[in-house]
Structures are given as structure tokens and as C-alpha cells.
Amino acid sequence: MTVNCQLLLVADDIEHANKVASAVQKQTLALEKKYNFYQADSWLNKAVNNRALSQVHLEPESLAIFTRVRELSQASQGIFDICVGTIKKAATQRPQLTRAQLFAKYQDAMGLTSWQISGNFLQFNNSNTQFDLGGVVKEYSVDLAMALCKKQGITAGLINFGGDIISWGRKPDNSAFRVAIQHPKVVDKICGSIALSDQALASSGHYHRQFNYGAEQGSHILAGQGVAQQVLAVSVLSQSVLTSGVFSTALSIEPTLVNSRYAQEHIKAIFIDEAMNFHQDIEFLSNTGCIKHSLKEAI
């Protein structure tokens, strides 16, 4: 991973904990290599993005990933889209096109209508469709790492891959694990913390990384409608990092998704606005009924 990765494992035997940590590292690096959008010889690029046919056979691991991502993309009402690789590739090949021109030209190659799963096959409706699992595999690898730890008898711990975090069990003093929330405007500064109790946390925002469309620059969160400018960052709590990651990205694009039935039943969201106020709902997006919270009040 190109981010800092941390494992905190609660165990009586340090040798056993080290072996489990090594197994997590091996598993994670294998996932990174297999699904790396920026590595020409990755399985994702060789088998899927550079496909010669209109369908690709998926072995069990890839089938599980694509199936779950499709379910969560549908739950996000199509807002979360792993086909943003289409825009990334096109922006590189056609630097003369503006952001608006790229999304207009390739809209048919993106979204849930451009691909489906039938049996063990990933099928495509457009030859230009490109998949980028950058917003998926890191999150999935954290969930998988926790599963491996539990299988190996680690009864409590916390895993943090670049801010994608999951915890299970409790610390030796029986307290919950506590994690920091990054300050949206100041690199390497935190703006608060939150206790995790058998929960996953992922955050997203349009504050640090940028994407270049030729000479034009925009948020690294790629969406035809752009990101919600009133929302500086979103942190999402759920039972899996993959779920939190998908919805933190989707809510950065369309905050009203928090009122959907799926979101109401499966996630909790914390919004940070441009004035660094924290919100548990989206009333702040309207001119009336604005509710402002301090971090301590919001979490």
C-alpha cells in the first residue's frame, strides 16, 4: 500500500502476533499487486481493463469483490462508481479534453448500466469501460485482514490502512480503541478522535488530492456532477470498511444519500463543512434549520 499501515493486535504470545501480522502483510500485498490500476501487469489491467472479449471469467476472490461492490454501488443509488478508471485513462490519452467534455464523451462507459455479473462472468456493454478499484481494494483488504486475525485467534485489535480502520474486541484495560480524525485543511493535524467498538471507519473529502484533466484541475473524487462543495469531508461508521469507504465517497458527492433507507439502517455519517463545523445530519445544507456542533457534540 502507498499509505501508512498499522496493526495493533492484542495477544498473550508476541511470537504468534508477529506471525499473524506477517500473514496480514503477505495477504495485503498480494491484493495490492493483483488489483492495482496503475500497474500494467496487474491482473486487473491484463485480464479486465485490457480485455479482448465482452466478458471476463472471475475466480472466487474477484467474483466476491465485484459482487459486493455492485451491491454497495446499487445501495448508493449508483453514485459510487468503480468505472472512474474510464475517465482516468481517457484524461491521459486525451489531455486536450476538459473535465466536462470527458464526462460527456464517456458517460455511456460508466455507471452500473455499463457492466453486470452473470454467473462467474463479468460482462461489459461498452468497450471503453475501465475499472479502478483504488477506492475498494484497500478497504476490502482491511476487512479481510481482520477476518484473518480472528481466524488465527486474535480476539482484539485495530487495523488502520491509511485512515481506513476497523476494530474488534477491546484493549487489555477493557477500554475501546480510539482513533483520530484527520484535519481536512491541515496535513498531519488531527481535529478530534472517536472511540470504535467493533466498528469500521473510513473518511473521504476533496481537500488534499487533486486530479488533472489536461490543464484543468479538480477533486480526486471523480463524478460527473462533481463533489458537494459545502461538505469538506465525511467520515462513515459501519460494520465493514468497504461499506464505510463506499459511502464516505458517495456522500462526498451526494450528501442527501444519508437519508436513504440503506444508509439509515447500515451507516452513521459525520459531515465536516467548510467552516470546520461537525454535523450528524444534512440540515446544514439548507439556509434554514442549520445545526452546528462541536466535534465532542457530534461524536
Side-chain angles (χ1 to χ4, degrees):
M1 296 293 171
T2 57
V3 294
N4 291 326
C5 297
Q6 180 184 42
L7 277 76
L8 298 176
L9 306 181
V10 178
D12 295 327
D13 185 346
I14 190 170
E15 183 177 346
H16 176 59
N18 285 335
K19 288 182 179 179
V20 174
S22 294
V24 167
Q25 181 183 39
K26 181 179 179 180
Q27 174 178 268
T28 302
L29 292 175
L31 286 167
E32 179 189 30
K33 180 179 180 180
K34 183 176 180 180
Y35 299 106
N36 194 326
F37 177 77
Y38 297 100
Q39 190 169 317
D41 63 348
S42 69
W43 173 86
L44 177 68
N45 282 324
K46 290 196 300 182
V48 179
N49 287 336
N50 293 318
R51 60 194 178 274
L53 303 175
S54 60
Q55 64 180 18
V56 172
H57 181 267
L58 299 177
E59 32 67 42
E61 180 180 65
S62 297
L63 178 62
I65 292 174
F66 276 98
T67 298
R68 183 56 180 153
V69 170
R70 187 168 182 86
E71 292 170 350
L72 289 171
S73 298
Q74 290 171 328
S76 78
Q77 300 175 10
I79 295 169
F80 182 84
D81 186 7
I82 58 173
C83 300
V84 293
T86 306
I87 294 295
K88 289 185 177 182
K89 182 176 180 179
T92 300
Q93 295 178 334
R94 295 173 172 80
Q96 74 279 11
L97 297 182
T98 65
R99 176 187 176 281
Q101 289 171 333
L102 283 167
F103 275 99
K105 183 177 179 62
Y106 292 98
Q107 61 179 342
D108 292 340
M110 300 177 66
L112 288 168
T113 59
S114 67
W115 66 281
Q116 55 273 330
I117 296 172
S118 178
N120 295 331
F121 288 89
L122 178 63
Q123 298 180 330
F124 314 89
N125 299 329
N126 192 301
S127 61
N128 290 316
T129 298
Q130 297 280 295
F131 293 93
D132 178 8
L133 301 183
V136 169
V137 169
K138 178 159 64 74
E139 292 80 355
Y140 174 79
S141 68
V142 178
D143 291 332
L144 208 62
M146 182 185 71
L148 189 156
C149 290
K150 286 184 172 181
K151 185 177 180 180
Q152 294 298 320
I154 304 295
T155 58
L158 180 141
I159 301 172
N160 178 359
F161 289 178
D164 292 325
I165 305 168
I166 199 163
S167 76
W168 70 102
R170 300 180 75 82
K171 294 192 289 186
D173 63 1
N174 202 38
S175 63
F177 292 94
R178 181 167 286 274
V179 299
I181 293 180
Q182 183 181 356
H183 195 292
K185 295 184 177 181
V186 184
V187 179
D188 296 329
K189 182 178 180 179
I190 64 172
C191 58
S193 64
I194 183 170
L196 293 183
S197 181
D198 297 303
Q199 291 172 300
L201 174 73
S203 300
S204 187
H206 57 87
Y207 39 90
H208 290 316
R209 290 185 291 154
Q210 298 290 309
F211 183 79
N212 293 324
Y213 306 86
E216 187 180 354
Q217 196 174 64
S219 171
H220 75 283
I221 300 175
L222 306 184
Q225 65 269 48
V227 295
Q229 293 299 321
Q230 308 99 315
V231 176
L232 193 61
V234 186
S235 293
V236 173
L237 291 164
S238 75
Q239 294 305 301
S240 83
V241 178
L242 182 53
T243 299
S244 292
V246 166
F247 272 86
S248 64
T249 297
L251 290 171
S252 295
I253 300 168
E254 181 48 74
T256 60
L257 183 65
V258 75
N259 291 328
S260 69
R261 181 175 178 179
Y262 186 94
Q264 290 288 309
E265 292 178 353
H266 296 282
I267 71 167
K268 293 181 180 179
I270 301 165
F271 297 91
I272 305 178
D273 66 21
E274 285 284 351
M276 287 300 296
N277 298 309
F278 291 75
H279 311 266
Q280 289 180 292
D281 53 44
I282 55 171
E283 290 185 23
F284 71 97
L285 294 177
S286 63
N287 293 326
T288 60
C290 181
I291 300 175
K292 297 181 179 180
H293 303 278
S294 69
L295 184 63
K296 291 182 179 178
E297 292 170 334
I299 299 177

